[in-house]
Amino acid sequence: MLRVLFVGDVYGKPGRRIFKNHLPTIRDQFDFVIVNGENSAGGFGINKESAKTLLDAGADCITLGNHTWDNREVYELLQTNHILRPFNYPLGTPGHGMHTFEVKGERITVINAMGRVWLDPLDCPFTGTNTLLEREDLGSIFVDFHAEATSEKTAYGFFLDGRVAGVVGTHTHIPTADTRILPRGTGYQTDAGMTGVLNSVIGAAPDGPISKFVDKIPVRWSTAEGRAQLNGVVLHVHNNQCQHIERYQHTEEE
Amino acid sequence: MLRVLFVGDVYGKPGRRIFKNHLPTIRDQFDFVIVNGENSAGGFGINKESAKTLLDAGADCITLGNHTWDNREVYELLQTNHILRPFNYPLGTPGHGMHTFEVKGERITVINAMGRVWLDPLDCPFTGTNTLLEREDLGSIFVDFHAEATSEKTAYGFFLDGRVAGVVGTHTHIPTADTRILPRGTGYQTDAGMTGVLNSVIGAAPDGPISKFVDKIPVRWSTAEGRAQLNGVVLHVHNNQCQHIERYQHTEEE
Amino acid sequence: MLRVLFVGDVYGKPGRRIFKNHLPTIRDQFDFVIVNGENSAGGFGINKESAKTLLDAGADCITLGNHTWDNREVYELLQTNHILRPFNYPLGTPGHGMHTFEVKGERITVINAMGRVWLDPLDCPFTGTNTLLEREDLGSIFVDFHAEATSEKTAYGFFLDGRVAGVVGTHTHIPTADTRILPRGTGYQTDAGMTGVLNSVIGAAPDGPISKFVDKIPVRWSTAEGRAQLNGVVLHVHNNQCQHIERYQHTEEE
Amino acid sequence: MLRVLFVGDVYGKPGRRIFKNHLPTIRDQFDFVIVNGENSAGGFGINKESAKTLLDAGADCITLGNHTWDNREVYELLQTNHILRPFNYPLGTPGHGMHTFEVKGERITVINAMGRVWLDPLDCPFTGTNTLLEREDLGSIFVDFHAEATSEKTAYGFFLDGRVAGVVGTHTHIPTADTRILPRGTGYQTDAGMTGVLNSVIGAAPDGPISKFVDKIPVRWSTAEGRAQLNGVVLHVHNNQCQHIERYQHTEEE
Ligand SMILES: [Fe+2]
Ligand SMILES: [Fe+2]
Ligand SMILES: [Fe+2]
Ligand SMILES: [Fe+2]
Ligand SMILES: [Fe+2]
Ligand SMILES: [Fe+2]
Ligand SMILES: [Fe+2]
Ligand SMILES: [Fe+2]
């Protein structure tokens, strides 16, 4: 049995701060740590420094999303095996979206997929995942499904139910309270939520987004300041089934 | 102090069933019960029968959303004071989106608003709410913000922080785990979640939505069958501030 | 050299009427006639009767679009070789999106493709067309690119410039005045326009769409009545190059 | 009777070049010249220099669109009466969206409006235009309706038919061939098209947009080089009716 922690989109400096400070204090409770790092470089993409921060703090694997390409340093990072971008970018795209790790004598395969509702139309994540699952010796499979629509995310969860150990969504930056094991054994949560400032609008200081919605004139958004919160999901997986799943949430003290 | 229960979108027959069976058993723990009924008639809109079911079970006020107009009987229902549709439909639209109730010597005003990101472009919910709040003697104000994007919903929450007692979102049908009191006293949760079959895709049997995403040929969706879950939010409000907020979840036995 | 007429989306009864009455009077000026029939059955899809009308009047090939599946009779129609649906539906979808015809000793291949901007995310039309073009003995190739965004349609035209004889768009129902031969020999027009009632909103009586935009409450749209207009494009093609392209427009008398 | 020339979105340096060189040679054929300048500063917005170029060449009025705010210098430009931004931005937005000019003893009022389908949800352009039309002494009214969807644009044309002298759309950058006088006297064309390089994708060199659609990784777009084309519409208006409407197109020599 592997104890896996998946941490949702780390957003900017406050996200890196809480991840760096808190993860080491709980790292020994987990056998494998995955973190979505698509907003770890100032909210936009990932760079060498933010990736190093996440890895040094104890992450074994970093997943990404629609912000993958925001920072040019990602091309070098994608040459490693443990930094993944959504697999369903077109054939020929730099990097890869799936990797199998050996942990404590078990195998765990991480897949990073991206949805298409209100996002760029990549290749079909449903059909594409079917193809990926034809490979052998994948061990227990965990999917970070980076998507917006709850219908697409939930449908994807049921589509994979019984065929992977876990499906947890990212991208909305708000954790969902539908954490459970689906009927055929797949651990599921629609969104892991974000790791960044609690009193923010998806990581940004509220005045920028409020102005966008009220005034309709573009303004620059800034990363929010204040207490950060780490949002994650714990899954106990074995033989490609989920034995236990629960939310993990830690907030900095005031 | 008023103890308020807000229940998320009741979906079809299973949603009505759990609402009808469960609410009476807990009704005396609350002073005021609001429920979103936009999917109470077979998933699409509200009709006289579904409205009666919700009201007879103990609801004091029904809110709606983008499915308001799916069923023609809604026009008659909207002539009452306690069934609301989003206020930011154009001037002249039948029905109203705000009502003030007297409960136990206190006033509570319910506002139903709708977001515009990936939804029909109604009048601005932000500016429009400002106008509504200019009225007097509203007591404690609760807003059901029916919207899709987490950015718009969270921005709306901060926009109203300190000016209303509660903002709870609906429409995504998945409850969120960000329940809290914002810095200036407004109780907030991005989405209340749905009241309907647990193992469903936003209330529908998974095969329909999966086919939509995989096959791209339209198929008819059917309401899911099985155990239902009621998702709601409890708020204790007084003097237009939130003193306490927590999620409420009840699932039918297997 | 083949003289090809491509006629834009035939909309409902008035569209069928002008097509049936007018095409036979000009049919001998053309060697091959293609028509988009996705709205030929009352605005929604195609049925056996509307297909027969188009074919009896002189069409050699019918293309479709996002309305392909609106009418159940389409499944039988798609078993023929000369009725095409967009090729980039998922593998396994009934029907096919490409066919090669022999005309007057020359070959002409018709491809029906669909764009993805503001439409359902099918497989990539750009990459998919590359794959189709690898086949041999296609003769002169004509593509009906059913898409919304002018950026996607124009990009697709340049993407195929020199590799196909013609790319004409459909779906917006408004003919465009950018008819020309691109630098490497491909005849191009962003949209062929519609074949239906002139004083309509994309084929429908204006009061329905106006109400949708003004009142935001769904109303039933009806097919417009009045003079119909046939919108098409004439291409002279040879050796997979376009020698001549011009718009063709005919309006019923008052 | 006023002879009005409306010129579609001037895009970057090549757009400014053809406008500057060509307009003076035909300026005396028109009494009033309106030009959409939203892409006149390198494709993104308008600045003092590009505005001066358009005005010096003979434009009497400049309209804008969704790119209004791309360049900071616009705020100063919007303090003048003859540079308009879409009127249906929220109350309090800098600038204005309507102005009445006196020309040869007649009045002509220019309105700049923006659609909401696939664009930012501004205030309702339909209802808002109704309000603007209540003002008195507007003379002949011309509307630049900056919008994407043909359904919204055509519906808006019929909505205003008989109440304004002309409605011409912008934003898609492709001229449409549906130029005509609507039944009650309003001159109408769905889109004026763009003023910029002919062999481009909405003004940009094709490789950028093609890469966007094929590779899905963001790349920088550059303004296309080569022969430019000016796309416009000529309207003869009097007593708020259109007496004549035709497309105007001029292309630089090779
Ligand atoms: Fe993110
Ligand atoms: Fe994202
Ligand atoms: Fe709902
Ligand atoms: Fe809804
Ligand atoms: Fe069509
Ligand atoms: Fe279409
Ligand atoms: Fe433009
Ligand atoms: Fe624009």
Side-chain angles (χ1 to χ4, degrees):
Chain A
M1 189 267 283
L2 293 177
R3 300 163 303 166
V4 177
L5 173 68
F6 176 60
V7 177
D9 310 39
V10 172
Y11 193 101
K13 195 172 186 175
R16 298 195 305 271
R17 180 184 68 221
I18 190 173
F19 192 84
K20 182 175 58 183
N21 291 339
H22 183 65
L23 186 63
T25 70
I26 56 167
R27 184 63 184 80
D28 61 359
Q29 299 171 28
F30 304 105
D31 302 308
F32 196 73
V33 174
I34 309 158
V35 57
N36 187 301
E38 74 149 3
N39 308 110
S40 60
F44 298 98
I46 188 169
N47 57 22
K48 289 185 206 171
E49 188 193 332
S50 72
K52 188 171 187 307
T53 300
L54 301 180
L55 296 169
D56 285 353
D60 299 294
C61 179
I62 298 175
T63 52
L64 296 165
N66 57 312
H67 285 287
T68 297
W69 317 103
D70 287 0
N71 192 298
R72 297 215 138 257
E73 296 183 7
V74 78
Y75 289 97
E76 189 176 330
L77 295 171
L78 287 177
Q79 291 171 16
T80 63
N81 278 325
H82 53 285
I83 301 183
L84 306 176
R85 46 90 183 151
F87 79 85
N88 50 334
Y89 275 91
L91 208 69
T93 301
H96 49 289
M98 177 190 201
H99 188 67
T100 302
F101 299 82
E102 297 267 358
V103 186
K104 285 178 48 186
E106 295 198 28
R107 279 168 180 253
I108 178 165
T109 295
V110 179
I111 293 175
N112 190 187
M114 197 156 107
R116 306 199 287 185
V117 177
W118 307 312
L119 287 166
D120 210 6
L122 303 187
D123 295 341
C124 179
F126 290 73
T127 306
T129 303
N130 274 352
T131 304
L132 294 184
L133 296 187
E134 289 170 4
R135 300 191 196 168
E136 296 186 354
D137 299 324
L138 297 177
S140 292
I141 300 162
F142 173 84
V143 190
D144 169 359
F145 188 43
H146 199 78
E148 179 73 46
T150 49
S151 58
E152 191 181 22
K153 288 160 113 165
T154 317
Y156 185 78
F158 283 104
F159 179 73
L160 293 181
D161 185 21
R163 302 194 288 155
V164 303
V167 172
V168 177
T170 51
H171 180 64
T172 71
H173 288 203
I174 301 289
T176 58
D178 59 342
T179 320
R180 69 189 190 276
I181 298 175
L182 298 180
R184 293 177 190 166
T186 297
Y188 178 80
Q189 185 176 316
T190 294
D191 207 288
M194 176 194 68
T195 296
V197 170
L198 177 61
N199 285 319
S200 72
V201 175
I202 59 168
D207 57 336
I210 287 174
S211 171
K212 174 190 162 184
F213 291 117
V214 174
D215 303 323
K216 300 292 176 193
I217 298 183
V219 293
R220 195 178 291 273
W221 294 16
S222 57
T223 298
E225 295 180 2
R227 289 199 295 159
Q229 185 175 75
L230 182 150
N231 278 288
V233 182
V234 177
L235 303 98
H236 293 174
V237 303
H238 187 59
N239 279 341
N240 203 23
Q241 292 267 312
C242 181
Q243 296 174 344
H244 174 74
I245 184 168
E246 64 179 294
R247 284 193 300 285
Y248 183 87
Q249 195 171 68
H250 172 78
T251 312
E252 290 177 342
E253 308 218 347
E254 284 182 278
Chain B
M1 189 266 285
L2 293 176
R3 300 162 303 165
V4 176
L5 173 67
F6 175 61
V7 178
D9 310 38
V10 172
Y11 193 101
K13 194 172 186 175
R16 299 196 304 269
R17 181 185 66 221
I18 190 172
F19 191 84
K20 181 175 58 182
N21 291 338
H22 183 63
L23 186 63
T25 70
I26 56 166
R27 183 62 184 81
D28 61 0
Q29 299 171 27
F30 304 104
D31 302 307
F32 197 73
V33 174
I34 308 158
V35 57
N36 187 300
E38 73 149 3
N39 308 111
S40 60
F44 297 98
I46 189 169
N47 57 22
K48 289 187 207 171
E49 187 192 333
S50 72
K52 188 171 188 308
T53 301
L54 300 181
L55 295 170
D56 285 354
D60 299 293
C61 178
I62 298 174
T63 52
L64 297 165
N66 57 311
H67 284 287
T68 296
W69 317 103
D70 287 1
N71 192 298
R72 299 215 137 258
E73 296 183 7
V74 77
Y75 289 97
E76 188 175 331
L77 295 170
L78 287 177
Q79 292 171 14
T80 63
N81 279 325
H82 53 285
I83 301 183
L84 306 177
R85 46 91 183 152
F87 79 84
N88 51 333
Y89 274 92
L91 208 70
T93 301
H96 49 289
M98 178 189 200
H99 188 67
T100 302
F101 299 81
E102 297 266 0
V103 186
K104 283 179 49 185
E106 295 199 27
R107 279 169 179 253
I108 179 166
T109 295
V110 179
I111 293 176
N112 191 186
M114 197 155 107
R116 306 198 288 184
V117 177
W118 307 312
L119 287 166
D120 210 4
L122 305 187
D123 295 340
C124 178
F126 290 73
T127 306
T129 304
N130 274 352
T131 304
L132 293 184
L133 296 187
E134 289 169 6
R135 300 191 197 168
E136 295 185 356
D137 298 324
L138 298 177
S140 292
I141 300 162
F142 174 85
V143 190
D144 169 359
F145 188 44
H146 199 78
E148 179 71 47
T150 50
S151 58
E152 190 181 22
K153 287 160 112 165
T154 317
Y156 185 77
F158 283 104
F159 179 73
L160 292 182
D161 185 20
R163 302 195 286 154
V164 303
V167 172
V168 176
T170 51
H171 180 61
T172 72
H173 288 204
I174 301 289
T176 58
D178 60 341
T179 320
R180 69 188 188 278
I181 298 175
L182 298 181
R184 293 178 190 165
T186 297
Y188 178 80
Q189 185 175 315
T190 295
D191 207 287
M194 176 195 71
T195 296
V197 171
L198 177 61
N199 285 318
S200 72
V201 175
I202 58 168
D207 57 335
I210 287 173
S211 171
K212 173 190 163 184
F213 291 117
V214 174
D215 303 324
K216 300 293 176 193
I217 298 183
V219 293
R220 195 178 291 272
W221 294 17
S222 56
T223 298
E225 296 180 2
R227 290 200 293 160
Q229 185 175 75
L230 182 150
N231 278 288
V233 183
V234 176
L235 303 99
H236 294 176
V237 303
H238 188 59
N239 279 342
N240 203 24
Q241 292 269 310
C242 181
Q243 296 174 342
H244 174 73
I245 183 168
E246 63 179 296
R247 285 193 299 286
Y248 182 88
Q249 194 171 71
H250 173 78
T251 312
E252 290 177 342
E253 307 218 347
E254 284 182 278
Chain C
M1 189 268 285
L2 294 176
R3 301 163 302 168
V4 177
L5 173 67
F6 175 62
V7 178
D9 311 37
V10 172
Y11 194 102
K13 195 173 186 175
R16 298 197 306 270
R17 181 183 68 221
I18 190 172
F19 191 84
K20 181 175 60 183
N21 292 339
H22 183 64
L23 186 63
T25 71
I26 56 167
R27 183 61 184 81
D28 61 0
Q29 299 170 29
F30 303 103
D31 303 308
F32 197 73
V33 174
I34 309 159
V35 57
N36 186 302
E38 74 148 3
N39 309 110
S40 60
F44 297 99
I46 188 169
N47 58 22
K48 290 185 204 172
E49 186 192 333
S50 72
K52 188 173 188 309
T53 300
L54 301 181
L55 295 168
D56 285 353
D60 298 295
C61 178
I62 298 174
T63 51
L64 296 166
N66 57 313
H67 284 286
T68 297
W69 317 103
D70 287 1
N71 192 297
R72 298 216 136 256
E73 296 183 7
V74 77
Y75 289 97
E76 187 175 332
L77 296 170
L78 287 176
Q79 291 171 15
T80 65
N81 279 324
H82 53 285
I83 301 183
L84 306 177
R85 47 87 184 154
F87 80 83
N88 50 335
Y89 275 91
L91 207 70
T93 301
H96 48 288
M98 176 189 202
H99 188 66
T100 302
F101 300 81
E102 297 267 359
V103 186
K104 285 177 48 185
E106 295 198 27
R107 278 167 181 253
I108 178 166
T109 295
V110 179
I111 292 176
N112 192 185
M114 198 156 107
R116 305 198 287 185
V117 177
W118 307 312
L119 286 166
D120 210 5
L122 304 186
D123 294 340
C124 178
F126 289 74
T127 306
T129 304
N130 274 353
T131 303
L132 294 183
L133 296 186
E134 289 170 5
R135 300 188 195 171
E136 295 186 354
D137 299 324
L138 298 177
S140 292
I141 300 161
F142 173 84
V143 190
D144 169 359
F145 188 44
H146 198 79
E148 177 73 47
T150 50
S151 58
E152 189 181 23
K153 287 160 114 166
T154 317
Y156 185 77
F158 282 104
F159 179 74
L160 293 181
D161 186 20
R163 301 195 286 154
V164 304
V167 172
V168 177
T170 50
H171 181 61
T172 72
H173 288 205
I174 302 289
T176 58
D178 59 342
T179 321
R180 70 189 190 276
I181 298 176
L182 298 181
R184 295 179 188 164
T186 297
Y188 178 80
Q189 184 176 314
T190 295
D191 206 289
M194 176 195 69
T195 295
V197 171
L198 178 60
N199 285 320
S200 72
V201 175
I202 61 169
D207 57 336
I210 287 174
S211 170
K212 174 191 162 181
F213 291 117
V214 174
D215 302 324
K216 300 294 175 191
I217 297 183
V219 293
R220 196 177 291 271
W221 294 17
S222 56
T223 297
E225 295 181 3
R227 291 198 295 159
Q229 185 175 74
L230 182 149
N231 278 288
V233 182
V234 177
L235 303 98
H236 294 175
V237 303
H238 188 58
N239 278 343
N240 203 24
Q241 291 269 310
C242 181
Q243 296 175 343
H244 174 75
I245 184 168
E246 65 178 295
R247 283 193 299 286
Y248 183 87
Q249 195 170 70
H250 172 78
T251 312
E252 290 177 342
E253 307 216 350
E254 284 181 278
Chain D
M1 189 265 287
L2 294 176
R3 301 163 303 166
V4 177
L5 173 67
F6 175 62
V7 178
D9 311 36
V10 172
Y11 193 101
K13 195 173 186 175
R16 298 196 306 268
R17 181 183 69 222
I18 191 172
F19 192 83
K20 180 175 59 182
N21 291 339
H22 184 63
L23 185 63
T25 71
I26 56 167
R27 184 59 184 84
D28 61 359
Q29 299 171 28
F30 303 104
D31 303 307
F32 196 73
V33 174
I34 309 158
V35 57
N36 186 301
E38 72 148 4
N39 309 110
S40 60
F44 298 98
I46 188 168
N47 58 22
K48 290 185 205 171
E49 188 193 331
S50 72
K52 187 172 188 309
T53 300
L54 300 180
L55 296 169
D56 285 353
D60 299 295
C61 178
I62 299 175
T63 51
L64 296 165
N66 57 313
H67 285 286
T68 297
W69 318 102
D70 287 1
N71 192 298
R72 297 215 138 257
E73 295 183 7
V74 77
Y75 290 97
E76 187 175 331
L77 296 170
L78 287 177
Q79 292 170 16
T80 65
N81 279 325
H82 53 285
I83 301 183
L84 306 177
R85 45 91 186 153
F87 80 84
N88 50 333
Y89 274 92
L91 206 70
T93 301
H96 48 287
M98 176 189 203
H99 188 66
T100 302
F101 300 81
E102 296 268 358
V103 185
K104 286 177 50 185
E106 296 199 26
R107 279 167 181 255
I108 178 165
T109 295
V110 180
I111 293 176
N112 192 185
M114 197 156 108
R116 307 197 287 185
V117 177
W118 306 312
L119 286 167
D120 210 5
L122 303 187
D123 294 340
C124 179
F126 290 73
T127 306
T129 303
N130 275 351
T131 303
L132 294 183
L133 296 186
E134 289 170 6
R135 300 189 197 171
E136 295 186 356
D137 299 324
L138 298 177
S140 292
I141 300 161
F142 174 84
V143 190
D144 169 359
F145 188 44
H146 198 79
E148 177 73 47
T150 50
S151 58
E152 190 181 22
K153 287 160 112 166
T154 317
Y156 185 77
F158 282 104
F159 179 73
L160 292 181
D161 186 19
R163 302 194 288 154
V164 304
V167 172
V168 177
T170 51
H171 181 63
T172 73
H173 288 205
I174 302 290
T176 58
D178 60 341
T179 321
R180 69 188 190 277
I181 297 175
L182 298 181
R184 294 178 190 165
T186 297
Y188 177 80
Q189 184 176 316
T190 295
D191 205 289
M194 175 195 71
T195 295
V197 171
L198 178 59
N199 285 319
S200 72
V201 175
I202 60 169
D207 57 336
I210 287 174
S211 171
K212 175 193 162 181
F213 291 118
V214 174
D215 302 324
K216 301 293 175 192
I217 297 183
V219 294
R220 196 177 291 270
W221 293 18
S222 56
T223 298
E225 295 181 1
R227 292 201 292 162
Q229 186 176 74
L230 182 149
N231 279 287
V233 183
V234 176
L235 303 99
H236 293 176
V237 303
H238 188 60
N239 278 343
N240 203 23
Q241 291 268 310
C242 181
Q243 297 175 344
H244 175 74
I245 183 168
E246 65 179 295
R247 283 192 300 286
Y248 183 86
Q249 194 170 72
H250 172 78
T251 312
E252 290 177 342
E253 307 217 348
E254 284 181 281

